[in-house]
Amino acid sequence: MKKILFSICITIISLLVASCFSANGGANATGGEVTGVSGASMSEPAPYGMVLVKRGSLKMGSEKTDSLWGKDIPTRDISVDAFWMDEREVTNAMYRQFVYWVRDSILRERLADAGNEAYRIELDKEGEPLEHPYLNWNKALPKNPDEEQQEIIESMYTYHPVTGEKMLDVSQLNYRYETFDHVMAAKRKFRLNANERTLNTDIEVDPNEVVMISKDTAYVDDEGVIHRETITRPLSSMWDFVNTYIVNVYPDTTCWVNDFQNADTEVYMRLYFTHQNYNEYPVVGVSWEQANAFCNWRTDFLIKGLGSAAKYMQRYRLPTEAEWEFAARGKDGNELPWEHEGVASDKGCYYANFKPDRGNYTKDGNLITSKVGIYSANSNGLYDMAGNVAEWTSTVYTEAGVLSMSDMNPTLVYNAAKEDPYALKKKSVRGGSWKDPESFIKSAWRSSEYQNVGRSFIGFRCVRSQVGTPGKARR
């Protein structure tokens, strides 16, 4: 009897195993035909505060010579894939959250180093030491600190040498992050296995060939000075494709004074970034390097919030120059982000915050920047794609522009190190700003700024690539 029951069990198990395997690759279920491995598709939810710009094509640039500057803008037919884009520019309130996170993470590290173990998770659930300990954000900073804790908190502050005013020591607000360069790691010439570096079988491969790789690295010295450099060394492992950056994240609040000589801008310098009344205004004084650091932090912040659900989430990043222009032009590829001719309605209401007349900044209702989103969105649902603040892109600035790029998802990427010639540090800036005339706010207009400079008229917004693009292309 036991033998019979055992045989029945074996038969049932065999049938179950066979059915499990044939569902994905068995010949019995498909009659020997290849049908592919099935899998449930995923519908990506709209990221908070973002809109989807569907894939499409456009003639990038302008065939008209600029009447003011006589400048030709390179043109080319290009195509881009779908991406999510912030519907509004990153605001002071959003960027302050980043700054405060950096401040509080430093405090938690110092408290943990001083013996307050609850501020850092160092053991797993089984009590074994973690390879990578991490901060415990569920543990609140002390409201009633003891003497030692108060001393640690005070270490984050300094005092004005003349007025005695207590201030956050912004020189300490350094954010360290690492990125893996998937593009460099994928290039055939950098394969760890020498036999994979060429497909030409007529070429004899030298297994001992030394391949040099360049990577970015950074460190902070004993004086608190950030050192960033690009090192070149023999390729040895996948870790050679990991780049390390350390960025001081506090925006340059002095940009107002330095951008506008002999103008009374002290109130903006002191209050624009910190005062609650400017919460919903676009952040300025943020360099390209700081904007990239924000994108990385925003990604990690979301990943920690989503947990395992973030497995296939694409990272936040700056838009390419092509993506930016494609998004700004709207669904009809207009010269300006709106459908109407000109920059104002018949009633004299302006469609953007820019400089309508010589010396008359207020003709459009604003003196400097305005709250984000107070003007109408373009047909993609994006606000302030002309004026308010110009916006950083990820693309290196060259005079040739799109002519030196691919016609599919075009861009040029180079994260220049400190020791690189300054000429290599120009990045493309788009959209024009509150201080610019009409010509500069057109979607095709190109300008540039150095990657380590913050301006009172340059901000940014983030994008995320969409995985798999359903629906029809446009234009």
Side-chain angles (χ1 to χ4, degrees), residues 20-237:
C20 288
F21 281 96
S22 63
N24 287 310
N28 292 335
T30 63
E33 297 292 347
V34 176
T35 60
V37 177
S38 61
S41 61
M42 296 176 59
S43 179
E44 184 178 5
Y48 179 78
M50 291 186 135
V51 296
L52 179 63
V53 181
K54 295 182 178 180
R55 67 174 181 233
S57 63
L58 81 155
K59 181 177 283 294
M60 188 173 168
S62 176
E63 295 177 329
K64 299 177 183 178
T65 300
D66 180 71
S67 59
L68 181 62
W69 298 94
K71 186 176 181 179
D72 290 321
I73 301 176
T75 63
R76 189 178 188 182
D77 290 316
I78 62 103
S79 298
V80 295
D81 211 342
F83 55 93
W84 300 96
M85 190 175 212
D86 281 334
E87 63 179 6
R88 292 173 170 82
E89 293 153 336
V90 172
T91 63
N92 283 320
M94 293 171 66
Y95 196 84
R96 275 208 308 272
Q97 185 178 356
F98 176 37
V99 170
Y100 291 165
W101 184 94
V102 173
R103 178 199 64 187
D104 291 350
S105 67
I106 295 172
L107 278 174
R108 282 180 165 79
E109 287 284 5
R110 292 179 182 178
L111 287 166
D113 290 342
N116 298 269
E117 298 177 355
Y119 288 101
R120 186 162 54 211
I121 307 296
E122 298 185 344
L123 303 175
D124 62 20
K125 294 180 180 180
E126 283 72 37
E128 296 297 324
L130 290 169
E131 183 179 356
H132 300 290
Y134 57 92
L135 296 178
N136 180 13
W137 287 90
N138 292 324
K139 174 66 175 176
L141 293 173
K143 292 183 179 180
N144 299 302
D146 58 31
E147 185 175 341
E148 183 182 36
Q149 291 172 337
Q150 184 61 37
E151 186 176 340
I152 291 172
I153 294 172
E154 289 295 322
S155 70
M156 293 295 300
Y157 294 85
T158 187
Y159 294 87
H160 193 283
V162 177
T163 65
E165 179 185 2
K166 183 179 179 180
M167 307 178 297
L168 183 65
D169 185 359
V170 299
S171 66
Q172 299 184 44
L173 301 180
N174 299 323
Y175 175 69
R176 182 184 184 277
Y177 69 100
E178 294 179 334
T179 61
F180 182 80
D181 194 333
H182 292 274
V183 174
M184 290 290 286
K187 290 186 176 181
R188 194 170 297 282
K189 63 180 179 180
F190 294 131
R191 298 290 171 87
L192 294 174
N193 185 343
N195 293 317
E196 296 178 355
R197 292 175 191 156
T198 178
L199 298 179
N200 189 340
T201 55
D202 293 336
I203 298 176
E204 186 176 349
V205 177
D206 179 4
N208 298 314
E209 177 189 8
V210 177
V211 176
M212 304 302 290
I213 186 74
S214 294
K215 62 174 292 181
D216 294 334
T217 187
Y219 65 93
V220 180
D221 64 20
D222 295 336
E223 303 297 323
V225 178
I226 299 174
H227 294 268
R228 179 181 166 193
E229 57 188 20
T230 299
I231 58 175
T232 301
R233 66 186 188 190
L235 176 65
S236 60
S237 73

Side-chain angles (χ1 to χ4, degrees), residues 326-362:
F326 179 70
R329 285 180 174 268
K331 296 178 179 179
D332 296 321
N334 298 323
E335 187 178 51
L336 288 160
W338 44 84
E339 298 177 1
H340 313 285
E341 291 290 333
V343 294
S345 69
D346 295 338
K347 297 180 179 180
C349 296
Y350 285 89
Y351 300 131
N353 175 13
F354 67 108
K355 184 181 177 182
D357 280 337
R358 296 180 180 178
N360 190 349
Y361 292 86
T362 63

Side-chain angles (χ1 to χ4, degrees), residues 437-457:
E438 178 181 338
S439 294
F440 286 18
I441 66 171
K442 293 179 179 179
S443 299
W445 178 260
R446 307 175 69 235
S447 61
S448 66
E449 188 50 83
Y450 294 99
Q451 68 181 48
N452 63 337
V453 174
R455 294 289 193 184
S456 60
F457 46 85

